Amino acid sequence: MTVARPLVAGNWKMNGLAISLDEARAVAAAIDAQPPACRVAICPPSTLVHRMADALGGGGVEIGGQDCRAETNGAFTGDISAEMLADAGAGLVILGHSERRAGYGESDALVAAKVEAAMRAGVEPIVCVGETLAEREAGDTLAVVTGQVKASLPSALQGKAFAVAYEPVWAIGTGLTPTLEQIEAVHVAIRETLIAQFGEEGRNPPILYGGSVKPSNAAEILKAREVGGALVGGASLKAADFLGIIMAA
Ligand code: 13P
């Protein structure tokens, strides 16, 4: 059994217009010239998924969505299904990001239903978990995070490719990062939970770290125990910064 390659994924969040495809093209050109050790993905807003897939088609950069609805289609104004993402050229989808858990009240059960939808559409999920500052200060980090892992990952994932992203809510967009010891403690706990849930196959999925990753801290974070890549927000918007992280993997 082989452990999956590390994955460095950029989450553009609600940023990016057609002009931003130039940044994605620059990333694609650089990794074509110098193939990195990791898989590379960009998750643009859904308006750009198809255009980015067209612009980069077949290159080394994989394209992902940032969310999907659990249903295949229907009267859900403004929403997008996993099938639609796949149809537009996405091979991955971020699910359960804290900005959706907090902003839209997404529960673990809903995230699990979305993961099942992604499986149905053949789209690889990146499932996000992470504690708030209050939860960390209360000493609840490991219980919160492992609870989210157990309840957000359905058994349908058995034997399938997926990734987990540990993103402490308090580290997202703040410039703050946990210590390496704190990152390792959580990643090891997530790995143990995955093994308890999926048996030996639980050793395979990469566990990404996310939260204020930048070129200057990427190398040490990516070397930490059980860190299998990064989910990058702000620093993924500029090709030079994102490449600095990719080449550190
Ligand atoms: P930042 O890298 O901007 O802190 O965002 C992290 C994140 O939320 C990625 O999903």
Side-chain angles (χ1 to χ4, degrees), residues 127-175:
V127 183
C128 302
V129 296
E131 83 287 1
T132 63
L133 187 58
E135 288 165 339
R136 175 161 287 275
E137 286 174 350
D140 292 338
T141 298
L142 295 185
V144 166
V145 170
T146 58
Q148 287 174 330
V149 170
K150 281 185 207 136
S152 303
L153 300 182
S155 53
L157 282 174
Q158 186 80 47
K160 299 285 191 348
F162 67 97
V164 175
Y166 168 54
E167 299 204 306
V169 177
W170 53 273
I172 294 175
T174 59

Side-chain angles (χ1 to χ4, degrees), residues 71-89:
E71 291 82 359
T72 308
N73 51 37
F76 305 110
T77 302
D79 283 349
I80 185 166
S81 69
E83 284 77 4
M84 290 169 181
L85 285 173
D87 187 51

